[in-house]
Amino acid sequence: MTLVPPLPAHQLLVFLIQAGLLLGSALVLGRLARRMGTSAVVGELCAGVIFGPSLAGHLGPASAFRLFPPGPGQQYLLDAVGQFGVLLLVGITGMTIDLAQIRRQGTTAVRVSAGGLLLPLAAGIATGLALPAALSGQDVDRTVFAWFVGVAMCVSALPVIAKTLLEMGLLHRDIGQQIVSAAVVDDAAGWLLLSVVSAMATTGVSAGIVATEVALLAGVVLFTAVAGRPLVRAGMALAARSGEPGVSVAAAVVVILLFAAGTQALGLEAVLGAFLGGILITAAGQGGMAPRLAPLRAFVMAVLAPMFFATAGLRMDLTALARPVVALAAAGILLVAVAGKFAGAYIGARASRLGHREALALGAGLNARGVIGMVVAMIGLRLHVLSTEMYTIVVLVAILTSMMAPPILRYTGRRIQTTDAERHREKVLLGE
């Protein structure tokens, strides 16, 4: 057996400098973004943009080359940290899923989510087919590229939505509960769609292959519901007996990583397994797991998530927007994304007999793509389905749509009359 030599000292030094610079810049710019009234994700993404081809690579290519050499060996170290971070971030997203809430909202959440998924998905696929071939990856099937664009257009970001509603004092309102419930369905459907489309990118497009992937997907969901739930419940219960929060944190990470490895081994995306693992962890804890997993949430949100966003920014090339074709494509995709999501959610809300303002609020809330949109873009780039220009466009759409949500929600939320049930719910949440 041949022993692999340890990581070279210089390569380790470069990685430590890269990680320190990216995380430090993400922390400072994230706090600055918060002070400016927008999401910290915007600042964290800008940290990577500064050191990437958009700024440093354009203004000081020699220095950028020394700090962030283009060789795959060095970049893979940052990628590994970013992938680890995004898997745990997606797992935490799964932990926020309240299946009981979906059951309580019933057909309203399903109708709103169906409208907010199907219309932007169809519009995104049509847009993907109409886009110039230069925006897709080399030798990629146009159908796969179009489906990737469609998935990027139809997803919603539950963490961004929930955080925005909480900050605006709308989470306890009926409209806030409806937005979260529809976003939960959107989130789950988005991960399932992404997994199937990613499999199409690696195995090809045919009726038999797609049917096989859908069958695998159904098998994974069935295993999760039947066998995964009792296994995770037993494991998390055993970890909780130790009395040390660190053991529960480690057990949760193990669950997320093993589920991610399982779906990756089946040819589905690892993020799907991480999402399902997160759902099972919350289900296993039955409401008492949150305090024990607080350190995991804090570390992921404060360290690993900013590192992922910063590495995502490293791959953005905003100078490409100077080209008219790319700029027009970005404007068109943003328009399709916003119009499709708003119209779909609005139609679904009106079909559920909600008012005009409630329907507008649902459209605004579900329009935020945030983290999920960036994960879709990163996977598309990794699978060579998206070009660097298209990757930049999808990430920009994810950020801009997330920035649009708060002002529209603030406008519509103030005009929706508060009910007695909502006032009571607020008192319960505040412990009064």
Side-chain angles (χ1 to χ4, degrees):
M1 180 178 179
T2 304
L3 294 177
V4 178
L7 186 69
H10 178 71
Q11 195 171 359
L12 176 60
L13 173 62
V14 172
F15 167 72
L16 293 175
I17 293 173
Q18 290 174 335
L21 286 174
L22 287 175
L23 184 57
S25 302
L27 176 62
V28 173
L29 294 177
R31 297 292 295 176
L32 181 61
R34 288 286 300 274
R35 287 181 177 274
M36 295 173 64
T38 187
S39 172
V41 173
V42 177
E44 292 161 0
L45 191 73
C46 288
V49 171
I50 289 172
F51 294 108
S54 300
L55 193 61
H58 184 68
L59 299 178
S63 299
F65 181 85
R66 285 195 294 271
L67 280 175
F68 294 90
Q74 194 69 55
Q75 288 193 0
Y76 285 167
L77 290 175
L78 281 177
D79 280 350
V81 175
Q83 288 299 316
F84 183 66
V86 78
L87 289 176
L88 293 184
L89 181 61
V90 171
I92 288 175
T93 301
M95 292 180 201
T96 65
I97 300 298
D98 187 352
L99 298 178
Q101 176 67 23
I102 298 176
R103 288 193 291 269
R104 284 193 295 269
Q105 292 294 335
T107 56
T108 299
V110 174
R111 284 175 183 161
V112 173
S113 179
L117 274 170
L118 297 178
L119 190 57
L121 176 64
I125 292 172
T127 303
L129 292 173
L131 287 172
L135 292 177
S136 64
Q138 291 184 352
D139 302 323
V140 67
D141 187 282
R142 290 290 293 176
T143 303
V144 174
F145 172 73
W147 271 88
F148 245 97
V149 175
V151 172
M153 297 301 98
C154 76
V155 296
S156 295
L158 178 61
V160 174
I161 294 167
K163 187 171 181 295
T164 300
L165 291 171
L166 184 62
E167 291 174 350
M168 298 177 62
L170 291 175
L171 192 58
H172 69 281
R173 301 283 303 275
D174 289 343
I175 188 62
Q177 297 290 303
Q178 290 162 354
I179 291 173
V180 169
S181 298
V184 167
V185 180
D186 263 16
D187 241 16
W191 291 125
L192 298 179
L193 280 171
L194 176 61
S195 196
V196 172
V197 175
S198 300
M200 288 165 57
T202 56
T203 59
V205 181
S206 71
I209 290 175
V210 173
T212 301
E213 298 302 332
V214 172
L216 277 175
L217 190 57
V220 168
V221 174
L222 183 63
F223 171 83
T224 301
V226 176
R229 189 166 185 168
L231 287 173
V232 173
R233 179 183 287 121
M236 296 305 296
L238 185 62
R241 290 177 189 171
S242 69
E244 298 179 16
V247 178
S248 294
V249 168
V253 173
V254 168
V255 169
I256 292 170
L257 294 182
L258 288 182
F259 268 79
T263 52
Q264 183 74 26
L266 291 172
L268 304 171
E269 272 300 318
V271 289
L272 172 64
F275 182 72
L276 295 174
I279 292 176
L280 290 182
I281 290 169
T282 297
Q286 298 177 341
M289 194 60 65
R292 288 179 171 273
L293 297 183
L296 174 62
R297 295 172 189 268
F299 181 72
V300 171
M301 299 305 295
V303 178
L304 294 181
M307 280 292 293
F308 166 70
F309 296 133
T311 54
L314 275 176
R315 286 180 163 81
M316 292 180 67
D317 187 4
L318 296 178
T319 60
L321 295 175
R323 293 164 48 195
V325 173
V326 179
L328 286 173
I333 291 171
L334 178 62
L335 179 62
V336 169
V338 174
K341 201 69 171 179
F342 259 97
Y346 186 89
I347 292 170
R350 296 296 279 174
S352 299
R353 299 182 180 180
L354 295 178
H356 171 68
R357 292 193 180 98
E358 286 86 350
L360 284 179
L362 279 160
L366 296 180
N367 186 47
R369 288 159 179 86
V371 178
I372 316 303
M374 281 183 274
V375 173
V376 173
M378 184 69 80
I379 291 173
L381 186 67
R382 176 170 57 82
L383 296 176
H384 306 292
V385 174
L386 305 180
S387 64
T388 303
E389 293 83 1
M390 191 62 195
Y391 166 82
T392 299
I393 291 172
V394 173
V395 173
L396 277 177
V397 167
I399 292 297
L400 292 175
T401 53
S402 298
M403 293 174 67
M404 291 177 188
I408 302 175
L409 280 172
R410 192 174 294 113
Y411 172 80
T412 55
R414 287 172 180 170
R415 286 159 175 78
I416 300 174
Q417 188 174 0
T418 305
T419 65
D420 292 336
E422 289 173 341
R423 294 189 185 95
H424 175 71
R425 191 184 300 136
E426 183 179 19
K427 291 180 179 180
V428 171
L429 289 174
L430 294 175
E432 297 179 0

